[in-house]
Structures are given as C-alpha cells and as structure tokens.
Amino acid sequence: MEEDTLLPFAFPAVARKKVSAAFDGGMLSSDAGVLLLRNVESQFGIAHRLSACLKDKRDPDFIKHTVEEMLRLRMFAIAAGYEDANDFDRLRYDPIFKMAAGRPPESGDPLCSQPTLSRLENAPSRTELGRMMLAMIDQFCSSYRRAPKSITLDVDDTFDAVHGNQQLSLFNAHYDERCFLPVHIYEGGTGKPVAMILREGKTPSGKEVRTILKHVIKRIRGHWPKVDILVRGDSHYGRHEAMEWCEQQGVDYVFGFGVNAVLAGIVRDDADALCVERATSRAEKLRSFRKFRYGAKSWTRKRRFVARLEATGKGLDIRYIVTSLKGGAKHLYDTVYCARGEMENFIKLHKAQVASDRTSCRDPRANQFRLILHTAAYWLMLAVRKAMPKRSPLYRAEFATLRLNLIKIAARVVEGAARIRISLPSACPNAALFRHLAGRFAAAGP
C-alpha cells in the first residue's frame, strides 16, 4: 500500500497543459520553522531542565534516544501542530526534525517512534512529576533578566472534556459532561505560564487552593525573596483558607466572591436607588460601586469587599470581590480585578492552539506529563512572538497564526560532505521576518 501511494496522480490541466504529481520530491519538509524553535529552546534550556528531573531506568547499552532529545522533539512537534505522539511514525524521518535533534538530515538515524514516546509519557513517578512542575516555575523565574518588583499571579481552572474511563475524571453538572478541571496560573502582565496542574473535574476546595498557592509562591520566593505578589482569581478561589494564608505570608489578593443573604442585605439600599435612577432617567445601563467590610462567622477577621451594581432593562446584576488592597471601589473592580479577563486569552492559546486538552491517557500521571510538555511548547511560541518587531503585524498574533506564517514553511534539504543546504521558497511572504528571527535567536543562543 505504501508503494501504491507513491505512484503519480493527475490534477486538472492548467493552461491546456497536463498536470501530474508524485511524492518523489526527496528530502523535503513542511516545517522549516522548527529550526527557529530549536534556537529558542537552546536559549531557554527547557528540555535539559526537565530531563534533569527524570531518572532514566533503561539499560545504557541499548539507549538510542536520550530523554532530553525526546522531550525536545515532543515540544517541537506540539508547537508545530503535531500534538499526538502517533505523528512521530512519520516525523521521525523528517529532515528538519532530525536536524532539530542534532542529527544529519539524510545520513542520520531515524528519530524516536510513537511507542518510545508513549513509554516516556507513562514513565515518570509522582515525585518526578512534582520536580518537573517546580522546574517549570524555575523556568518562569529564569525568564526575567532581573528580579521584578512585583508580579501578578492569575489563577483559574478550565474545562477539559474526557472520553472514556480516565482516572480523575468526574461528571460536572455545570458543563453537563465528564471532565478534568486543570488549574492554570499565569503572570498577568506578560502572559508567561507559571504552573499547570491536572486535577479532577470539580470546584477546588479552600484547602486545595491554599496548597497550590503555598507551593507555587514558595518556589517563586526562593528566587525572589522580596518580590511583591498579587493573586487574582474568581469566586472559586475566594476561599477563607486561601485568604488567611495570603495574609500570613504578606501576599496581596483580589478574588471574586459569591453572593449570600448578608451581602445582599448590605447593598440592598444602593441597589434599589440605582434601579430607581435608571428607571427615571431612562438610561440603558447604570453602574455604581459600594465598598464595605464584611466577615463571615467562621472568619477570624473582617475583610474589604467591593460590590459592583449594574442596572439595565433586563434587571439588576451584582458582583462582589474581596481584596487585601486599598483604593477606590471602582479602581479595585474595573482596573485591578477585571484585568484578569486577559487570562482567558492565555488559556485559549494554551488549550486550543497548543492543544493542551489532549489529555487522553488513562493514567493521570501521563496526562500531567503531557500538560507539562504542552506548557514547554507554549514557552517556545511565546518567545517567538515576543521576538517580533513591534511594527510587525504578527507582534500580537495568536499562536496558530504564528505557526501558519513562520513554522509551516516548505524546505528542501540537501546534505553534503561538509555542508547542509536548506532551500526555502523564493515566494515566501514572510522571508524577511523569518531571516530576522533566525539571526536574532542565533545571536542570543549559547
């Protein structure tokens, strides 16, 4: 069957000339941009950092593919749009991917196969996965040239549908489906990923939120003891345990908070006044803010709250936030809290465009391993975007657009005795930008 697919086949005639095609072009690749990713990875050293967390239990006499090489290739493939290890049944012969692994494109041995990668995904223990997750936090910290004065940690969970009897999957009534709800943490100002944690498909408890923040922030402060940290999250994370821990550790927070009868009673007069004002003024929408202090019976102290009230023709909508920050009610809600909406775009890039929802393994350890690899691929694509000239139309492009314009470029590879020649398309629309990035990453590399 494989030989049959290599036979010539025809296309409709063009300018009255017969058109035939065949897969006989030789050493060709459709992913020349992977060489850019290779330079980025060599600058960051992500594969080396992660491989140091794993113990290779294989017999050294039979090892053909090191753990570091396999990790590097897997993150390259994910960034290039090949999120499944099955793709390596073909990619292992691709000349560009072989060069990205440091092997000659033609005379070099084939790369690792899908079964080898699948064994790697299922090999790490819980302890090793914990080390890898901490290593990704180290990667976040090392991405700064100097310690920042302050950072904002945006934390949220996202829906990840499951198909089959995967461990940790639960039925979630809100989504009406069995799922995981992995926690994503990003730095709010830069979009840099901090931690991605696979977890069961239910709302996190207060103790779980506190544990996550404890480990992440402890690792960050191991690098930057004096950095000011602000934690932002929706009402899932506005838990008493998390707020109390933040206060003890000198960490600021702003969380959404669910409505209850006491809070509704506090702002009832403000809500009635706003509704009357909207009705008499016939305005389409009116907003007001109320700042107050509130403490539940189980709390040891009262905390600052802000209520955002909005009256429209469809009715009244009230949202609450709880925070350790000082400032005006409108500023705390509109400027500080609502800025976390940008995190939805970060999750979209991670989940939809780097395919981090490809958590199809039965064992949760393998799925957590995949989540780490997809985060590493996110780092590569984020670095490519940040290296863009500010005047470039791709400066704020999504990862899928970057992949289409800079990674998916055809290349003919010719290996000689002393030189490897890569021929790129003469009509490439982003030739100048590709050359600029190649020079920039090569100059920044080791």
Side-chain angles (χ1 to χ4, degrees), residues 216-248:
V216 172
I217 293 176
K218 179 181 178 181
R219 193 71 173 191
I220 292 175
R221 283 196 162 158
H223 292 270
W224 306 324
K226 298 182 180 180
V227 66
D228 294 327
I229 299 176
L230 170 65
V231 179
R232 286 191 303 212
D234 63 14
S235 57
H236 289 174
Y237 299 89
R239 309 288 186 171
H240 167 62
E241 295 89 344
M243 292 185 286
E244 189 174 57
W245 182 86
C246 288
E247 291 161 352
Q248 294 172 353

Side-chain angles (χ1 to χ4, degrees), residues 205-433:
S205 65
K207 292 182 179 179
E208 185 178 0
V209 175
R210 179 182 62 190
T211 300
I212 292 173
L213 294 179
K214 176 181 177 181
H215 287 289
V216 172
I217 293 176
K218 179 181 178 181
R219 193 71 173 191
I220 292 175
R221 283 196 162 158
H223 292 270
W224 306 324
K226 298 182 180 180
V227 66
D228 294 327
I229 299 176
L230 170 65
V231 179
R232 286 191 303 212
D234 63 14
S235 57
H236 289 174
Y237 299 89
R239 309 288 186 171
H240 167 62
E241 295 89 344
M243 292 185 286
E244 189 174 57
W245 182 86
C246 288
E247 291 161 352
Q248 294 172 353
Q249 301 299 319
V251 175
D252 287 316
Y253 60 84
V254 53
F255 294 122
F257 201 86
V259 65
N260 60 42
V262 177
L263 292 177
I266 292 175
V267 301
R268 182 174 293 113
D269 292 343
D270 300 85
D272 292 342
L274 185 66
C275 291
V276 171
E277 182 182 356
R278 194 207 68 83
T280 56
S281 65
R282 297 183 180 179
E284 292 185 4
K285 180 175 69 175
L286 285 180
R287 302 179 82 193
S288 67
F289 298 87
R290 169 75 185 277
K291 187 177 179 182
F292 57 93
R293 299 185 73 88
Y294 162 78
K297 292 182 180 180
S298 60
W299 296 2
T300 58
R301 57 184 297 181
K302 291 186 176 182
R303 296 184 169 95
R304 296 187 186 92
F305 274 74
V306 171
R308 189 274 288 155
L309 301 91
E310 182 175 281
T312 67
K314 296 181 179 180
L316 179 68
D317 179 61
I318 305 177
R319 301 293 176 90
Y320 302 92
I321 64 170
V322 56
T323 181
S324 63
L325 299 174
K326 298 179 180 180
K330 187 176 187 301
H331 171 77
L332 288 173
Y333 188 88
D334 278 351
T335 304
V336 179
Y337 178 72
C338 288
R340 65 173 293 274
E342 183 66 18
M343 185 185 183
E344 297 298 329
N345 293 326
F346 303 152
I347 293 178
K348 174 186 174 183
L349 293 176
H350 199 288
K351 180 179 173 182
Q353 299 189 17
V354 191
S356 65
D357 58 350
R358 187 70 172 180
T359 48
S360 54
C361 296
R362 178 178 175 81
D363 192 330
R365 294 176 300 174
N367 286 324
Q368 177 63 65
F369 185 80
R370 286 190 174 189
L371 204 55
I372 293 171
L373 289 179
H374 286 267
T375 303
Y378 182 104
W379 270 110
L380 299 182
M381 297 300 290
L382 184 66
V384 171
R385 188 172 71 176
K386 288 186 177 296
M388 294 288 172
K390 291 186 177 181
R391 295 184 179 181
S392 170
L394 299 178
Y395 179 67
R396 296 184 181 277
E398 294 186 338
F399 290 172
T401 304
L402 293 180
R403 181 183 298 123
L404 180 64
N405 284 271
L406 295 173
I407 307 300
K408 296 296 183 180
I409 297 178
R412 180 185 295 275
V413 182
V414 178
E415 179 185 346
R419 177 182 297 182
I420 298 173
R421 174 77 177 183
I422 302 175
S423 299
L424 303 174
S426 301
C428 179
N430 295 293
L433 180 58

Side-chain angles (χ1 to χ4, degrees), residues 46-55 67-68 71 131-132 135:
I46 303 178
H48 178 73
R49 190 188 299 272
L50 293 178
S51 64
C53 303
L54 300 174
K55 183 179 180 181
V67 171
E68 183 174 338
L71 292 173
R131 292 172 186 162
M132 295 179 74

Side-chain angles (χ1 to χ4, degrees), residues 29-61:
S29 175
S30 59
D31 300 290
V34 169
L35 295 179
L36 290 179
L37 301 179
R38 177 181 183 241
N39 288 349
V40 175
E41 198 283 325
S42 65
Q43 179 183 345
F44 283 177
I46 303 178
H48 178 73
R49 190 188 299 272
L50 293 178
S51 64
C53 303
L54 300 174
K55 183 179 180 181
D56 195 345
K57 300 178 182 179
R58 297 175 296 172
D59 189 333
D61 294 334

